[in-house]
Amino acid sequence: MISVLIGAPMICIGGATCFWAIDKFVNEARLANLPKQLVVPICPAAILQRALPLAGINSL
């Protein structure tokens, strides 16, 4: 439980930091779209990976 409570906000902060870094360092908007689209599903998947053992699902 503590792993989810601590890990979920850390993952969200990490995702927001990735978005900020992409916006700051990638000059071309079309080039920045792909990394942003990759960050969006990775963050919820990482949170889900931490939350699934609480629901009794240990392996996917």
Side-chain angles (χ1 to χ4, degrees):
M1 181 68 173
I2 292 176
S3 173
V4 175
L5 291 175
I6 294 172
M10 287 177 62
I11 292 168
C12 291
I13 290 169
T17 304
C18 288
F19 261 81
W20 173 80
I22 292 167
D23 278 339
K24 181 158 178 75
F25 297 114
V26 179
N27 296 328
E28 208 171 313
R30 288 181 61 196
L31 186 61
N33 278 341
L34 179 62
K36 285 181 181 179
Q37 289 175 355
L38 292 174
V39 167
V40 170
I42 289 173
C43 288
I47 293 170
L48 190 62
Q49 181 185 13
R50 290 184 179 266
L52 282 178
L54 293 176
I57 303 170
N58 292 325
S59 63
L60 279 180

